[in-house]
Amino acid sequence: MTGTPNAVEINLSAAIAAVAKNDPLILTTPSSDDVERDELPFGPFNPLEHRTLETGLRAWVAELTPLRLGYVEQLYTFGDRGRNKTAEDRHLHIVSVGYLALTRITGDNKEALRKSGARWRSWYSFLPWEDWRVGKPALIDETIRPALRSWAESGGIPARLSRLRLAFGEDGIAWDEERVLERYELLYEAGLIEEVVRDGRTNDTGLSRPLGVPMSFDHRRILATAIARLRAKLKYRPVVFELMPSTFTLTALQETVEAISGRHLHKQNFRRLVETTELVEPTGAEQSQPRGRPAALYRFRHNVLEERSVAGLRVGGRT
């Protein structure tokens, strides 16, 4: 083989999630070339310093932020040409290994995060069509569905209509909260989000206002992948407790599950589900409430991990 191989750099991108005040949050940093644009924290992998990709991720997150990561899971390798768009895509090709990481927000790390320039933002500001907690977002029927249907019907490709029905729940197909990435990629392919314009694949989305806040590079795609993974993981692993304090009320636990899944859950059904799965146990203590009786405090029952391999909250399908 002749010629010089293309240079490739490996980055580690982190979708670091937390929940506060019933809002699912993602840690972002300002873009190096546009302070108005958010991006996910990322840093280079150094094989001479880092034994594994995950140790590399934890090392630079600890260096850049005061956060202590709990659960960390590799998502996917993002290496498409054009993901770090430059003129004619002739610069160094950057491959990013995406990770989902879970943490808790504490008073100790808020100020340090602010000084570092990082900030927490609701992940629904980037993907507003994913929040169904108070019903279907008006954005779907007012903007997304008509634009996608027009795109699907004009292309002469039957598979587009099928993808639309599956992704956004049309023609009797129920909304599936786990299809986050499929919805984002459909919107990108249809040229309806700002990243498509930035990547030079279209001159205009044709919409009167952006569909959510754009991010640098393909970081919204990484975020969509992380949300989809976390929503699926909730149902068979107790990852939600990585986002909870050591003790909590059942109401707080339900609100956290709702925030992540983007859906409203019936209170009594949720409590029966928690009792059936035996994921929590009472502490014997109570927490005072602004109104009504004090609420019982619970904690995660760690022994459940030794008792069975599948231990999650199967909240059921949307009707």
Side-chain angles (χ1 to χ4, degrees), residues 7-70:
V8 174
E9 177 181 301
I10 296 178
N11 275 346
L12 306 173
S13 298
I16 303 174
V19 175
K21 297 180 180 179
N22 305 335
D23 204 11
L25 306 175
I26 199 75
L27 188 70
T28 68
T29 56
S31 169
S32 58
D33 60 355
D34 184 354
V35 294
E36 298 298 321
R37 185 186 302 145
D38 287 301
E39 59 191 29
L40 297 176
F42 67 94
F45 171 67
N46 187 335
L48 298 181
E49 296 181 8
H50 306 142
R51 184 176 61 85
T52 67
L53 294 170
E54 184 177 322
T55 57
L57 177 85
R58 290 182 180 274
W60 67 254
V61 168
E63 180 181 340
L64 296 176
T65 77
L67 292 178
R68 181 178 178 181
L69 300 182

Side-chain angles (χ1 to χ4, degrees), residues 37-200:
R37 185 186 302 145
D38 287 301
E39 59 191 29
L40 297 176
F42 67 94
F45 171 67
N46 187 335
L48 298 181
E49 296 181 8
H50 306 142
R51 184 176 61 85
T52 67
L53 294 170
E54 184 177 322
T55 57
L57 177 85
R58 290 182 180 274
W60 67 254
V61 168
E63 180 181 340
L64 296 176
T65 77
L67 292 178
R68 181 178 178 181
L69 300 182
Y71 180 88
V72 172
E73 177 180 350
Q74 188 177 131
L75 294 170
Y76 188 73
T77 299
F78 301 84
D80 293 354
R81 184 181 176 197
R83 65 175 305 274
N84 283 35
K85 185 69 177 176
T86 58
E88 300 181 5
D89 289 337
R90 294 184 181 277
H91 290 190
L92 183 70
H93 187 78
I94 298 178
V95 173
S96 186
V97 181
Y99 280 84
L100 165 66
L102 306 181
T103 190
R104 300 183 182 99
I105 299 176
T106 68
D108 295 336
N109 60 37
K110 280 184 180 179
E111 181 61 18
L113 275 177
R114 187 189 65 80
K115 290 181 179 179
S116 73
R119 59 177 175 170
W120 294 103
R121 295 197 62 173
S122 170
W123 71 34
Y124 293 129
S125 65
F126 302 104
L127 306 169
W129 54 87
E130 293 294 336
D131 188 2
W132 284 59
R133 287 175 291 177
V134 294
K136 182 193 297 186
L139 180 68
I140 292 179
D141 284 338
E142 293 175 357
T143 304
I144 292 177
R145 211 180 289 271
L148 279 178
R149 183 163 285 278
S150 175
W151 167 77
E153 292 175 345
S154 65
I157 304 175
R160 287 183 175 180
L161 283 171
S162 177
R163 290 172 60 199
L164 169 57
R165 286 193 290 268
L166 288 170
F168 283 91
E170 284 203 336
D171 300 334
I173 297 176
W175 173 272
D176 184 346
E177 65 267 17
E178 293 181 31
R179 294 184 181 271
V180 190
L181 180 59
E182 293 171 49
R183 285 186 281 272
Y184 176 78
E185 291 188 329
L186 196 62
L187 292 169
Y188 184 96
E189 187 177 335
L192 298 176
I193 56 176
E194 295 298 313
E195 283 86 341
V196 187
V197 178
R198 183 203 61 209
D199 292 349

